[in-house]
């Protein structure tokens, strides 16, 4: 079973609340399993770092990199705890539908120096470069450049420390299927395989949708979890939607992803559920992805190994993985993925082979890849972006969309 992701669950209480609000229990539909360590970080020089919420073990890992940074990490964690309370507990459920709501939030953002980047803030607490990478890479999981994304995102560390990192047994699709089951029990109706072609409207009021099969469905209100630019584009003939689309296209979009899914003969108990394989370049590689639009031959990778936690994800005696490389979106790099896909797949597989599984090629049972062009074609993602607008402060909350 190849899990398309996203594969890291950091706040199970949010999901549990969704079920409990309807008088149900999430465990009826979904089984979450704790992942330890959260991530195993690896560098080309052989350095390994297990990141978890076990205090003693984590401090021992930090001390291996630099004993002086243990105290700095504790100060960073205190900052993370504070920004979690302000940025997640207090502001996480604020809809920011007006500029005044943003103004009211400003004092807290100023107090926690939200204008600074995560990497800059982390560097003020710890001096070891590998530890700086370890404490700042999380923003990449939401499409943000650690060098530009607001320090508010440091709250992720407290979120993980207090709530853990979890995996839905059966993969992310098992979570989706569980939500669908709950939705249908509540009387909801799912129409699948019939894409919306047009959102109908009268002035600034939506009136319904028309699907590819010609079906018309009346509605007073529509929620779209699709791509922003694509969704506004469905409002044909709306000057408001045209204006929003033009405005959005001028904004900064997050990068895309190149994902290699592969199955191997054998099992790999020494390969963690989540691994981060760092390139020798950090800032330079991020500049290639976010600024220069260069498809780098030395990518950093996120390696997902779901059969480490749930062996049923693969046949007996086999394992399943995906290796994900952040890459420039289609507007940054003019890459013909029909041509480059196979070459880049080999680069990604060779990185995994060289760092973790020396006989990967001999064990390879099944392999396919997913490119930025696929994000565009399959999901209507503007520029093939995997995360929509880049999560910088000037594109967050009320400023987002």
């Amino acid at each position: 079973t190849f899990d398309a992701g996203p594969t890291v669950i950091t706040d199970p209480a949010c999901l549990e609340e969704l079920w409990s609000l309807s008088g149900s229990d999430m465990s009826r539909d979904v089984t979450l399993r704790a992942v330890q360590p959260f991530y195993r970080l690896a560098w080309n020089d052989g350095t390994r770092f297990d990141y978890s919420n076990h205090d003693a073990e984590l401090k021992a890992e930090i001390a291996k990199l630099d004993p002086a940074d243990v105290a700095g990490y504790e100060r960073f964690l205190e900052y993370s705890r504070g920004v979690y309370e302000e940025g997640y507990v207090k502001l996480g459920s604020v809809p920011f539908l007006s500029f005044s709501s943003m103004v009211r939030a400003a004092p807290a953002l100023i107090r926690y120096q939200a204008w600074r980047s995560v990497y800059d803030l982390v560097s003020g607490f710890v001096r070891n470069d590998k530890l700086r990478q370890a404490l700042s890479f999380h923003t990449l999981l939401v499409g943000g450049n650690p060098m530009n994304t607001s320090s508010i995102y440091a709250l992720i560390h407290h979120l993980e420390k207090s709530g853990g990192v979890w995996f839905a047994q059966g993969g992310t699709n098992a979570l989706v299927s569980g939500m669908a089951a709950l939705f249908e029990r509540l009387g909801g109706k799912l129409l699948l395989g019939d894409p919306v072609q047009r959102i109908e409207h009268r002035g600034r009021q939506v009136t319904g949708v028309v699907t590819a099969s010609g079906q018309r469905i009346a509605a007073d209100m529509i929620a779209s979890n699709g791509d922003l630019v694509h969704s506004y584009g469905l409002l044909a003939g709306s000057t408001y939607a045209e204006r929003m689309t033009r405005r959005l296209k001028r904004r900064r979009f997050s990068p895309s992803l190149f994902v290699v899914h592969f199955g191997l003969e054998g099992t790999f108990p020494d390969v963690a559920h989540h691994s981060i394989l760092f390139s020798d370049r950090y800032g330079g590689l991020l500049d290639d992805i976010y600024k220069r639009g260069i498809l780098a031959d030395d990518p950093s990778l996120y390696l997902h190994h779901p059969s480490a936690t749930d062996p049923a994800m693969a046949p007996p005696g086999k394992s399943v993985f995906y290796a994900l490389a952040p890459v420039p979106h289609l507007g940054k790099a003019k890459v013909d993925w029909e041509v480059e896909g196979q070459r880049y797949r080999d680069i990604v597989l060779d990185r995994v082979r060289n760092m973790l599984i020396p006989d990967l090629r001999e064990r390879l049972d099944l392999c396919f890849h997913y490119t930025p062009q696929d994000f565009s074609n399959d999901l209507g993602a503007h520029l093939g972006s995997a995360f929509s607008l880049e999560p910088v402060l000037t594109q967050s909350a009320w400023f987002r969309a």
Side-chain angles (χ1 to χ4, degrees):
T1 301
F2 292 95
D3 193 341
T7 55
V8 180
I9 297 171
T10 52
D11 192 358
C14 270
L15 296 171
E16 289 163 355
E17 184 182 13
L18 184 64
W19 265 261
S20 65
L21 284 168
S22 63
S24 188
D25 192 317
M26 185 174 73
S27 62
R28 175 178 175 180
D29 300 299
V30 179
T31 300
L32 295 184
R33 299 183 62 178
V35 175
Q36 285 288 355
F38 296 165
Y39 313 96
R40 178 163 294 150
L41 314 181
W43 287 266
N44 290 325
D45 65 1
T47 303
R48 299 291 185 266
F49 183 96
D50 278 3
Y51 180 78
S52 72
N53 58 353
H54 292 155
D55 268 349
E57 293 176 13
L58 182 57
K59 287 175 183 175
E61 291 288 289
I62 293 170
K64 286 194 301 186
L65 294 178
D66 189 336
D69 277 339
V70 173
Y73 168 75
E74 290 177 339
R75 292 194 301 273
F76 166 72
L77 203 56
E78 189 62 33
Y79 171 90
S80 176
R81 184 181 297 111
V83 80
Y84 166 84
E85 290 294 331
E86 291 292 340
Y88 193 75
V89 176
K90 294 181 182 178
L91 299 180
S93 57
V94 175
F96 290 109
L97 298 178
S98 66
F99 184 69
S100 60
S101 62
M102 193 76 180
V103 170
R104 286 193 294 274
L109 298 177
I110 292 169
R111 186 162 63 253
Y112 283 93
Q113 304 176 63
W115 64 88
R116 295 177 65 186
S117 74
V118 171
Y119 185 83
D120 180 46
L121 182 105
V122 164
S123 297
F125 289 104
V126 298
R127 66 187 188 185
N128 181 273
D129 189 55
K130 288 187 174 72
L131 187 57
R132 288 174 175 180
Q133 295 174 38
L135 297 178
S136 65
F137 80 87
H138 291 75
T139 61
L140 288 161
L141 302 180
V142 293
N145 182 346
M147 302 297 180
N148 294 328
T149 303
S150 169
S151 58
I152 291 293
Y153 281 83
L155 65 85
I156 293 172
H157 291 273
H158 182 73
L159 186 62
E160 289 181 340
K161 187 173 177 60
S162 59
V165 168
W166 301 80
F167 172 71
Q169 185 167 315
T172 304
N173 187 62
L175 174 58
V176 174
S177 297
M179 289 173 136
L182 173 63
F183 179 71
E184 290 180 319
R185 283 202 303 274
L186 294 172
K189 184 179 180 182
L190 287 167
L191 299 175
L192 305 177
D194 194 8
V196 171
Q197 297 283 63
R198 187 169 74 254
I199 296 174
E200 297 192 316
H201 57 92
R202 191 178 299 111
R204 296 270 304 251
Q205 173 63 47
V206 294
T207 58
V209 299
V210 179
T211 70
S213 69
Q215 184 176 191
R216 275 183 162 76
I217 304 168
D220 299 315
M221 188 180 292
I222 295 167
S224 173
N225 196 32
D227 177 85
L228 273 171
V229 176
H230 176 81
S231 297
Y232 278 113
L234 296 175
L235 285 157
S238 164
T239 54
Y240 167 75
E242 289 170 4
R243 188 169 67 250
M244 284 298 295
T245 300
R246 286 195 301 271
R247 187 183 301 170
L248 284 167
K249 285 182 176 179
R250 292 194 295 268
R251 309 292 285 276
R252 285 164 51 182
F253 278 76
S254 290
S256 191
L257 302 172
F258 182 83
V259 189
V260 181
H261 296 268
F262 57 100
L264 299 181
E265 298 279 355
T267 57
F268 302 87
D270 294 334
V271 178
H273 187 119
H274 302 295
S275 298
I276 308 294
L277 312 183
F278 285 103
S279 166
D280 286 332
R281 300 183 303 140
Y282 192 59
L285 179 59
L286 291 169
D287 283 345
D288 282 353
I289 297 166
Y290 284 84
K291 296 179 181 178
R292 293 189 283 264
I294 294 172
L295 185 61
D297 286 347
D298 59 339
S300 288
L301 302 178
Y302 159 58
L303 183 69
H304 184 226
H305 178 202
S307 49
T309 299
D310 183 3
M313 295 288 285
K318 297 186 180 184
S319 301
V320 66
F321 296 84
Y322 80 54
L324 174 158
V327 296
H329 61 59
L330 299 175
K332 282 279 186 192
K334 304 303 179 186
V335 175
D336 183 347
W337 284 105
E338 285 290 323
V339 175
E340 286 291 307
Q342 183 61 54
R343 183 188 75 87
Y344 213 63
R345 182 165 89 180
D346 288 340
I347 286 174
V348 169
L349 289 175
D350 287 349
R351 290 273 292 136
V352 178
R353 178 196 65 192
N354 295 342
M355 295 190 71
L356 291 178
I357 306 173
D359 56 351
L360 183 149
R361 293 284 183 178
E362 291 74 23
R363 292 176 175 270
L364 197 59
D365 183 45
L366 194 154
C367 184
F368 62 96
H369 59 268
Y370 200 82
T371 76
Q373 194 62 56
D374 293 317
F375 277 96
S376 177
N377 295 346
D378 295 349
L379 305 174
H382 181 60
L383 303 175
S385 167
F387 306 92
S388 192
L389 292 170
E390 188 180 338
V392 292
L393 195 60
T394 53
Q395 296 187 162
S396 297
W398 181 79
F399 297 115
R400 192 163 178 85

